[in-house]
């Protein structure tokens, strides 16, 4: 029996504001425990929250970028529950009137495209962190209390782990592009909850769903979906009922386990927070945010394809992250050769970034340096192979390509008379290859060129060498 | 010297160099020594700090300063003052020392007023008699077998007993006006949003408002001048141009239109209280005021709506007292849930628990629409009632409470009976409008009767004007409780 997997995501993203959502404390990650707190984010008796305007702006940005309707009137609500990482015993969130609703995002899966509905985006505060210490018991670090979040809730529109992953990656790129979040997943800036059910193919009604919380890598997201869908199908095949429950994914064990069932679920007793006033946005305000929104990935992609004739594949890869797109654009600006810039970034540079797990902004050289490197190739100052060596040096030292070429004397030999002498010498020394070549064995030219490159340590202009060999063939 | 007791009188004496600030503070501290054993207004008296502040005030007396400079006052124990234990008269907050000032505390500090102590109250401001304090009972200075009212009972009693010149209280459903009425002093609940709530330990955030309790209306206007105003730390505080409320202290109110709420003079009103109110109406007629009959038809639902809304908000506001970070924690517990349960069971008093349970229930899924949402709809109707009433008048006149101060223990066993004490004050909080209680006579046993004057939103000037004119035409505010 074939099954269909139905997936909806809830994505929590920490906003990249300097200060917290209701007080002036810093949101910087990694500070010493409880050093970024004040009476307000600690929820001490008598204090009051004041909504950070930047948080509203960032949420609106995210809403516009995901084609949502922006609410002219929304409000903050309290979600009540007891937990030691939540000093007020309620989280300030948005319940029935979120700031953004009814959006959509298109994802591209190569063979097909698909539109995923966004149910809503709302703003809320993050909770603190509990540190379980064998010696001193459980300690609370309240630095994260009050760090602003948006929660993006999707429709149950995804049907595979691949679709969910592609969507999640797209959201990450949108949030990075709009500078709403730094999306540093290892720091918890982007976290996923998965709602998943399975049903027999063609069925009209969804099955009972489970929720898996706090997946913080794309890999965990994919694996959790694969595991959970298999588990549900297995249960159904055995004639068991799926229990509506919250499950926790253990990435190390690669399995999920039940946290609590629906019956044990919290009643959060949401109600409007009387300490805060409604968020009322004017047409002008929304237009203004819209006008200042950075260029979105799909707009960039279309431009790349039209202006620079890049393939859709290349354009997709280059626009997947804002950092790469900007690096690419600056490179093109410096060399005016989009195709080469694309090839270098997607080829050699990506390989190094992957190998060293670096971001493109963490490399030692600037995009202008890459542009110069490409210029050196295009002006025949160096060959493509030498350029790879230069690039390697650039990664290591951050030096400008020209100075590397000069220092290491890597400039290409373009002197015809000098090369001609070398070519004649090599042809003399390898009569068999010359014979073969004359006899029509084109491959033999490669050997001869190789000999020249070896002698010149790769600096000879391979095109010229080729040409010289052919020109002088009849002399032998 | 015996007779001085208002801010304006002390200012005159200081100006004429007849007294020093230190002498003023000493006089009040001595008075506390004498009568505190009978009244029990304070949960904490700050003798040393107060004297030091008074000496500093004397050293700076030549510099230009405010009207409340060097004036001793009492601060309700739910208003934070940096470094001073603030418990809301609850066991659960025992030992909590706020590292910050409430906005009103810092404003008064800057103006140079001297806090003599934290005043007793019903635990978390829930109550109408001060019998719900976990610390002690406060006694009515006019008759120490009776309650001072509540929840700002300590704040009203300390003014009535001359232990301070003025005090600050908080009013969620009548908690300034009802004790002011029982203790024969002036108490104002400002418009919601006029005075910052920052640093006021929340009971019901959409209803709470800090206000002054004073000997007379002039002092009330002076203190209001010093605590009102927009505060960036309180999103619900209103941006509004500052007013000088003392400019409305005029005995002339000819032509002022006063509304008589017909629903407030019916069943449940003590006949003597009603009689004093009728006499007050005569006084106003003499002064040239015009009277109109108005109706607040939905006010009969006010008490029910109030107990839903305030308890719902309280259930959330008080959830943070869980024994994890500060205040009281149960000694023995098995696990986290047990820690929560034991701490909260042992730390909160009965009335507070009653309201937390009521509020939790009202917000629960499946009951929200029937209770909380319904209560909010009633709130809208009550606001509309007041809007309609103010179309034909400037202020509303009513009793503050249906009775004078009742006996200690008289109502403490019957919460519903106790709640009725706030029947005329609660609608004002629900509508977010201002009201003042001023003394308007005494019953046969010599207990003070209070009159409530209610204004439209930000209509403090109207009620201050009306109250002042009445006060000038009568001498109830000069009567002192014998202790």
């Amino acid at each position: 029996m074939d099954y269909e997997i139905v997936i909806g995501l809830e994505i929590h993203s920490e906003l990249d504001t300097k200060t917290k959502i209701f007080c002036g404390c810093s949101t910087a990650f990694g500070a010493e425990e409880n050093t970024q707190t004040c009476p307000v984010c600690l929820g001490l008796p008598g204090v009051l929250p004041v909504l950070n305007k930047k948080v509203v702006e960032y949420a609106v940005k995210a809403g516009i970028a995901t084609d949502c309707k922006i609410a002219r009137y929304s409000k903050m609500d309290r979600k009540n529950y007891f937990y030691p990482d939540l000093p007020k015993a309620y989280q300030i969130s948005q319940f029935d009137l979120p700031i953004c609703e009814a959006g959509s995002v298109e994802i591209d899966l190569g063979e097909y495209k698909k539109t995923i509905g966004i149910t809503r985006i709302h703003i809320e505060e993050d909770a603190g962190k509990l540190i379980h210490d064998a010696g001193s018991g459980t300690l609370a670090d309240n630095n994260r209390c009050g760090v602003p979040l948006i929660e993006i809730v999707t429709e149950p529109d995804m049907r595979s782990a691949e679709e969910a992953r592609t969507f999640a990656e797209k959201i990450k790129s949108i949030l990075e592009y709009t500078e709403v979040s730094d999306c540093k997943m290892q720091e918890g800036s982007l976290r996923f909850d998965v709602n998943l059910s399975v049903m027999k193919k063609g069925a009209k009604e969804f099955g009972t769903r489970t929720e898996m919380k706090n997946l913080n890598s794309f890999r965990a997201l994919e694996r959790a979906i694969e595991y959970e869908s298999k588990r549900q199908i297995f249960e159904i095949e055995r004639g068991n009922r799926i229990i509506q429950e919250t499950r926790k994914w253990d990435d190390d064990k690669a399995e999920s386990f039940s946290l609590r069932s629906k019956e044990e679920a919290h009643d959060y007793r949401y109600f409007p927070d009387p300490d805060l006033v409604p968020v009322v946005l004017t047409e002008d305000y929304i237009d203004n945010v819209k006008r200042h929104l950075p260029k979105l990935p799909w707009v960039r992609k279309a431009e790349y394809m039209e202006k620079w004739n890049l393939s859709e594949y290349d354009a997709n890869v280059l626009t997947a992250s804002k950092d790469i797109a900007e690096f690419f654009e600056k490179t093109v600006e410096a060399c005016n050769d989009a195709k080469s810039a694309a090839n270098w970034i997607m080829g050699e540079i990506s390989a190094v970034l992957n190998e060293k797990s670096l971001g493109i902004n963490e490399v030692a050289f600037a995009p202008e340096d890459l542009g110069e490197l490409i210029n050196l190739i295009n002006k025949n100052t160096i060959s493509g192979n030498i350029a790879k060596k230069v690039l390697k040096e650039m990664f290591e030292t951050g030096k400008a390509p020209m100075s590397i070429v000069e220092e290491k004397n890597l400039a290409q030999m373009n002197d015809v008379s000098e090369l001609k002498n070398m070519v004649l010498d090599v042809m003399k020394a390898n009569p068999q290859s010359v014979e073969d070549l004359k006899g029509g064995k084109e491959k033999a030219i490669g050997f001869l060129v190789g000999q020249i490159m070896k002698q010149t340590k790769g600096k000879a202009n391979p095109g010229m060498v080729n040409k010289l060999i052919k020109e002088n063939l009849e002399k032998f | 010297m015996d007779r001085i007791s208002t801010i304006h009188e002390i200012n005159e004496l200081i100006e004429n160099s007849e007294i020093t600030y230190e002498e003023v503070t000493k006089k009040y501290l001595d008075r506390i020594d004498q009568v505190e054993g009978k009244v029990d207004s304070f949960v904490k008296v700050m003798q040393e700090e107060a004297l030091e502040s008074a000496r500093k005030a004397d050293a700076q007396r030549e510099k230009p300063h405010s009207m409340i400079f060097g004036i001793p006052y009492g601060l309700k124990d739910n208003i934070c003052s940096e470094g001073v234990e603030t418990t809301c008269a609850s066991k659960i907050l025992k030992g909590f020392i706020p590292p910050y000032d409430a906005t009103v505390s810092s404003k008064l500090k800057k103006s140079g007023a001297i806090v003599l102590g934290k005043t007793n109250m019903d635990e978390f401001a829930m109550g109408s008699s001060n019998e719900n304090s976990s610390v002690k009972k406060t006694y009515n200075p006019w008759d120490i077998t009776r309650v001072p009212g509540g929840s700002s009972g300590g704040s009203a009693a300390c003014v009535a007993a001359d232990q301070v010149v003025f005090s600050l209280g908080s009013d969620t459903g009548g908690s300034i006006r009802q004790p002011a009425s029982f203790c024969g002093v002036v108490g104002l609940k400002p418009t919601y949003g006029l005075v910052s709530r920052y640093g006021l330990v929340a009971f019901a955030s959409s209803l709470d408002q800090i206000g002054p309790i004073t000997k007379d209306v002039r002092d009330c206007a002076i203190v209001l001048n010093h605590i009102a105003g927009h505060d960036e730390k309180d999103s619900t505080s209103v941006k509004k141009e500052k007013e000088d409320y003392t400019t409305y202290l005029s005995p002339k109110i000819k032509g002022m239109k006063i509304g008589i709420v017909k629903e407030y003079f019916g069943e449940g009103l003590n006949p003597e209280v009603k009689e004093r109110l009728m006499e007050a109406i005569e006084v106003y007629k003499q002064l040239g005021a015009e009277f109109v009959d108005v109706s607040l038809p939905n006010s009969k639902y006010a008490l029910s709506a109030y107990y839903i809304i305030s308890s719902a908000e309280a259930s959330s506001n008080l959830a943070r007292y869980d024994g994890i970070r500060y205040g009281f924690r149960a000694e023995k517990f098995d696990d986290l849930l047990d820690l929560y349960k034991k701490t909260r069971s042992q730390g909160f008093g009965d009335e507070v628990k009653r309201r937390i349970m009521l509020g939790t229930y009202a917000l629960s899924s499946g009951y929200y629409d029937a209770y909380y949402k319904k209560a909010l709809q009633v709130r809208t109707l009550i606001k509309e009632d007041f809007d309609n009433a103010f179309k034909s008048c400037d202020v509303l006149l009513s009793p503050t409470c249906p009775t004078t101060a009742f006996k200690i223990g008289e109502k403490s066993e019957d919460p519903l009976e106790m709640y009725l004490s706030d029947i005329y004050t609660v609608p004002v909080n629900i509508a977010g409008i201002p009201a003042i209680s001023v003394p308007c006579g005494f019953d046969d046993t010599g207990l003070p009767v209070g009159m409530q004057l209610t204004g439209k939103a930000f209509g403090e000037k109207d009620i201050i004007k009306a109250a002042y004119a009445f006060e000038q035409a009568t001498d109830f505010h000069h009567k002192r409780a014998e202790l």
Side-chain angles (χ1 to χ4, degrees):
Chain A
M1 177 61 78
D2 268 352
Y3 287 87
E4 203 168 354
I5 309 166
V6 178
I7 303 161
L9 293 182
E10 287 168 24
I11 302 178
H12 285 92
S13 173
E14 285 184 356
L15 303 184
D16 202 12
T17 54
K18 287 196 178 63
T19 57
K20 291 186 180 180
I21 183 167
F22 299 120
C23 63
C25 289
S26 165
T27 57
F29 179 84
E32 195 191 324
E33 289 83 2
N34 295 311
T35 54
Q36 291 174 172
T37 61
C38 72
V40 173
C41 55
L42 290 176
L44 294 186
V47 301
L48 296 170
V50 177
L51 182 58
N52 181 344
K53 284 185 181 136
K54 278 276 167 205
V55 171
V56 175
E57 184 191 320
Y58 283 23
V60 170
K61 272 191 191 177
I64 292 170
T66 51
D67 215 14
C68 282
K69 290 195 185 98
I70 310 300
R72 302 311 189 254
Y73 180 99
S74 70
K75 66 179 170 69
M76 306 306 296
D77 299 284
R78 291 187 185 177
K79 178 181 181 179
N80 296 285
Y81 64 96
F82 288 93
Y83 206 63
D85 67 4
L86 191 69
K88 300 189 298 294
Y90 58 82
Q91 179 194 29
I92 304 180
S93 180
Q94 293 192 297
F95 183 51
D96 54 337
L97 295 174
I99 191 155
C100 312
E101 272 185 297
S104 66
V105 167
E106 192 187 72
I107 54 170
D108 187 346
L109 292 120
E111 285 167 25
Y112 63 99
K113 287 179 181 157
K114 189 168 185 181
T115 300
I116 307 298
I118 306 286
T119 315
R120 57 185 279 162
I121 300 176
H122 67 252
I123 47 189
E124 61 186 26
E125 58 179 335
D126 212 341
K129 253 184 214 164
L130 293 186
I131 301 158
H132 303 285
D133 183 283
S136 42
T138 299
L139 301 170
D141 175 11
N142 294 299
N143 282 351
R144 207 177 63 181
C145 288
V147 167
L149 294 174
I150 51 171
E151 181 176 334
I152 303 171
V153 182
T154 76
E155 294 292 305
D157 286 346
M158 286 153 278
R159 292 292 176 271
S160 68
E162 197 198 354
E163 286 185 8
R165 184 197 171 108
T166 308
F167 174 78
E169 284 173 342
K170 178 110 183 199
I171 289 293
K172 177 173 184 274
S173 107
I174 289 172
L175 297 179
E176 283 173 344
Y177 261 86
T178 48
E179 291 167 352
V180 165
S181 171
D182 65 16
C183 290
K184 287 184 183 158
M185 298 175 80
Q186 67 281 10
E187 294 179 5
S189 292
L190 194 65
R191 324 192 285 257
F192 310 107
D193 298 344
V194 177
N195 287 303
L196 188 147
S197 66
V198 299
M199 60 181 178
K200 296 205 165 117
K201 235 183 194 131
K204 294 240 159 46
E205 258 181 57
F206 292 164
T208 304
R209 69 186 157 91
T210 61
E211 185 181 10
M212 277 178 296
K213 286 205 166 289
N214 268 332
L215 304 162
N216 45 21
S217 75
F218 292 126
R219 186 169 162 268
L221 175 71
E222 252 182 329
R223 295 211 304 166
I225 289 172
E226 269 153 22
Y227 174 90
E228 179 60 13
S229 53
K230 277 185 195 143
R231 188 192 69 84
Q232 288 192 13
I233 292 167
F234 178 75
E235 293 291 342
I236 291 169
E237 292 278 286
R238 292 204 333 178
N240 291 337
R241 215 166 45 88
I242 301 300
I243 302 158
Q244 190 174 337
E245 62 185 354
T246 303
R247 299 179 69 85
K248 191 173 164 62
W249 172 251
D250 186 328
D251 208 38
D252 294 331
K253 290 186 186 153
E255 60 184 41
S256 66
F257 56 89
S258 178
L259 266 185
R260 56 178 179 263
S261 73
K262 189 192 175 191
E263 286 71 32
E264 298 164 276
H266 296 296
D267 178 355
Y268 290 118
R269 290 171 283 117
Y270 279 100
F271 76 106
D273 192 327
D275 287 332
L276 290 160
V277 291
V279 181
V280 179
L281 303 178
T282 62
E283 224 54 53
D284 279 354
Y285 176 88
I286 296 165
D287 283 348
N288 197 37
V289 175
K290 211 176 266 180
R291 265 201 307 280
H292 289 93
L293 205 65
K295 214 185 275 175
L296 288 162
W298 49 90
V299 178
R300 271 200 158 111
K301 181 184 147 188
E303 277 182 10
Y304 288 9
M305 291 169 69
E306 202 188 294
K307 202 159 117 193
W308 290 319
N309 254 325
L310 295 185
S311 72
E312 182 168 11
Y313 176 81
D314 288 1
N316 264 337
V317 174
L318 290 169
T319 54
S321 119
K322 187 183 178 198
D323 289 346
I324 289 184
E326 281 179 349
F327 196 94
F328 169 71
E329 285 171 24
K330 282 183 192 151
T331 305
V332 177
E333 218 168 274
C335 69
N336 208 12
D337 180 352
K339 190 69 206 165
S340 296
N343 287 341
W344 280 98
I345 290 171
M346 292 164 59
E348 298 296 316
I349 293 177
S350 277
V352 176
L353 295 183
N354 285 339
E355 186 196 315
K356 300 190 175 166
S357 27
L358 285 177
I360 197 147
N361 286 342
E362 291 167 283
V363 301
F365 57 91
E368 290 75 14
D369 295 327
L370 177 62
E372 192 194 330
L373 185 70
I374 293 168
N375 284 336
L376 291 175
I377 303 166
N378 290 346
K379 284 190 289 189
N380 286 330
T381 310
I382 54 173
S383 68
N385 269 329
I386 294 287
K388 284 181 192 171
K389 284 184 195 161
V390 175
L391 183 69
K392 201 175 164 218
E393 184 77 15
M394 286 160 68
F395 266 111
E396 277 159 20
T397 63
K399 283 183 185 160
M402 196 55 214
S403 52
I404 295 171
V405 167
E406 278 167 5
E407 256 172 51
K408 306 224 155 174
N409 194 22
L410 294 172
Q412 187 157 268
M413 293 173 60
N414 291 322
D415 184 327
V416 179
S417 57
E418 195 184 347
L419 281 176
K420 189 176 171 185
N421 288 335
M422 290 176 83
V423 165
L424 292 175
D425 285 350
V426 166
M427 288 174 86
K428 228 178 268 171
N430 297 283
Q432 187 57 47
S433 296
V434 175
E435 273 315 298
D436 287 351
L437 188 57
K438 276 182 161 174
K441 281 189 185 167
E442 283 293 322
K443 268 188 183 171
I445 198 166
F447 175 76
L448 294 170
V449 174
Q451 292 302 306
I452 304 282
M453 297 311 279
K454 211 167 163 186
Q455 280 181 25
T456 58
K457 289 181 181 147
K459 290 189 289 180
N461 181 331
M464 284 172 78
V465 172
N466 248 297
K467 208 173 147 210
L468 283 166
I469 293 171
K470 282 179 187 163
E471 279 172 6
N472 292 291
L473 207 54
E474 63 254 38
K475 291 183 183 163
F476 291 88
Chain B
M1 169 98 186
D2 269 356
R3 291 297 307 146
I4 63 149
S5 57
T6 63
I7 298 168
H8 47 96
E9 281 165 0
I10 292 171
N11 271 284
E12 273 171 37
L13 293 175
I14 293 277
E15 254 169 56
N16 301 333
S17 297
E18 289 173 40
I19 197 168
T20 66
Y21 289 116
E22 191 180 352
E23 284 165 350
V24 172
T25 291
K26 261 198 185 133
K27 168 183 136 73
Y28 281 95
L29 288 171
D30 287 349
R31 175 74 177 167
I32 290 172
D33 267 352
Q34 284 163 25
V35 301
E36 180 63 1
K38 294 182 194 165
V39 186
D40 270 334
S41 310
F42 293 95
V43 292
K44 182 187 180 72
V45 177
M46 295 145 73
Q47 189 155 345
E48 290 311 312
E49 297 95 320
L51 281 171
E52 201 189 309
S53 301
R55 283 190 282 267
K56 270 189 201 153
D58 279 320
Q60 297 174 351
R61 61 183 294 171
E62 297 308 324
K63 289 187 189 161
H65 52 66
S66 76
M67 286 284 281
I68 57 169
F69 184 81
I71 303 291
Y73 77 99
L75 190 62
K76 191 175 177 179
D77 198 35
N78 59 353
I79 301 172
C80 291
S81 182
E82 188 181 339
V84 180
E85 186 180 12
T86 298
T87 70
C88 299
S90 178
K91 183 178 170 186
I92 210 156
L93 268 174
K94 200 152 179 48
F96 173 69
I97 297 173
Y100 46 89
D101 271 329
T103 296
V104 291
S105 302
S106 101
K107 282 187 166 197
L108 291 186
K109 225 175 244 182
K110 275 182 198 141
S111 303
I114 296 169
V115 59
L116 292 199
K118 303 296 296 276
T119 61
N120 195 23
M121 57 187 281
D122 286 297
E123 183 180 6
F124 282 105
M126 296 172 185
S128 309
S129 68
N130 262 37
E131 290 164 294
N132 295 336
S133 167
S134 79
V135 183
K136 56 180 169 183
K137 290 186 175 75
T138 294
Y139 302 89
N140 192 314
W142 295 87
D143 175 353
I144 56 171
T145 67
R146 291 177 186 269
V147 302
S151 67
S152 311
S155 287
C158 70
V159 174
D162 277 326
Q163 295 174 304
V164 294
V165 183
F166 72 93
S167 68
L168 292 188
S170 70
D171 191 318
T172 306
S175 281
I176 288 174
R177 291 158 288 157
Q178 186 255 22
S181 167
F182 280 14
C183 292
V185 290
V186 174
L188 171 77
K189 188 218 80 102
T191 306
Y192 186 79
L194 184 68
V195 178
S196 169
R197 290 186 297 117
Y198 186 85
L200 166 67
V201 182
F203 157 19
S205 316
S206 76
L207 301 160
D208 296 343
Q209 193 62 190
I210 294 171
I213 296 176
T214 56
K215 279 281 163 49
D216 63 14
V217 177
R218 178 176 294 274
D219 276 7
C220 177
I222 292 168
V223 177
L224 186 61
N225 275 350
H226 286 92
I227 61 172
H230 175 67
D231 179 12
E232 281 181 355
K233 291 181 187 161
D234 177 0
S235 312
T236 63
S237 92
V238 176
K239 273 185 192 142
K240 215 181 138 281
E241 219 171 288
K242 249 186 134 30
E243 280 178 90
D244 177 358
Y245 296 98
T246 60
T247 59
Y248 309 123
L249 300 171
S250 151
K252 287 179 195 141
I253 53 153
K254 199 170 160 56
M256 182 182 253
K257 286 198 176 123
I258 300 178
I260 300 290
V261 185
K262 67 175 188 200
E263 288 86 357
Y264 287 5
F265 286 86
E267 210 182 317
L269 179 60
N270 173 298
E272 279 188 78
V273 173
K274 188 173 177 178
E275 240 173 76
R276 295 297 94 79
L277 264 295
M278 291 304 158
E279 289 158 18
I281 290 171
E282 282 311 310
V283 171
Y284 275 117
K285 282 187 178 157
Q286 296 291 315
L287 291 168
E290 291 169 27
F291 280 87
V292 290
D293 286 331
V294 297
S295 172
L296 301 172
N298 291 296
S299 59
K300 58 177 175 286
Y301 306 119
L303 218 48
S304 310
Y306 171 80
Y307 277 95
I308 298 291
I309 295 168
S310 65
S311 303
E313 291 179 12
S315 73
S316 173
N317 283 332
L318 272 59
R320 70 189 67 187
Y321 310 118
D322 57 6
I324 300 286
R325 288 161 300 275
Y326 46 80
F328 170 78
R329 176 189 292 175
E331 261 175 48
K332 287 182 193 153
F333 50 86
D334 299 332
D335 54 19
L336 180 64
L337 190 63
D338 197 43
L339 161 67
Y340 285 155
K341 283 182 177 170
K342 289 207 171 107
T343 298
R344 290 169 65 80
S345 298
Q346 296 165 24
F348 288 130
D350 286 349
E351 182 62 24
V352 173
K353 284 184 205 162
R354 181 158 32 240
R355 308 235 191 154
I356 290 174
M357 284 190 280
L358 177 64
T360 303
Y361 181 77
L363 288 176
S364 300
S365 90
Y367 300 98
Y368 183 92
D369 286 357
Y371 294 104
Y372 188 73
K373 202 174 161 194
K374 199 57 131 205
L376 290 186
Q377 287 164 346
V378 170
R379 187 174 198 164
T380 305
L381 293 176
I382 289 170
K383 276 183 190 163
E384 285 171 7
D385 277 1
F386 278 108
D387 287 345
N388 284 331
F390 284 117
K391 279 178 191 161
S392 59
C393 61
D394 305 307
V395 301
L396 302 177
L397 184 151
S398 69
T400 306
C401 306
T403 64
T404 51
F406 45 85
K407 288 268 187 193
I408 284 165
E410 190 182 329
K411 297 185 181 185
S412 51
E413 295 306 311
D414 186 350
L416 284 179
E417 183 70 18
M418 185 77 87
Y419 295 170
L420 283 172
S421 191
D422 296 329
I423 193 157
Y424 307 134
T425 48
V426 154
V428 169
N429 297 75
I430 289 186
I433 53 181
I436 192 170
S437 178
V438 290
C440 71
F442 299 86
D443 69 7
D444 282 352
T445 58
L447 292 170
V449 175
M451 167 175 68
Q452 174 173 248
L453 297 162
T454 303
K456 45 179 147 335
F458 301 102
E460 275 77 5
K461 65 170 188 292
D462 299 322
I463 55 175
I464 286 173
K465 211 171 168 181
Y468 183 75
F470 179 80
E471 194 180 77
Q472 292 302 298
T474 57
D475 63 353
F476 306 119
H477 62 294
H478 288 137
K479 293 258 166 30
R480 289 289 174 270
E482 303 289 335
L483 270 165

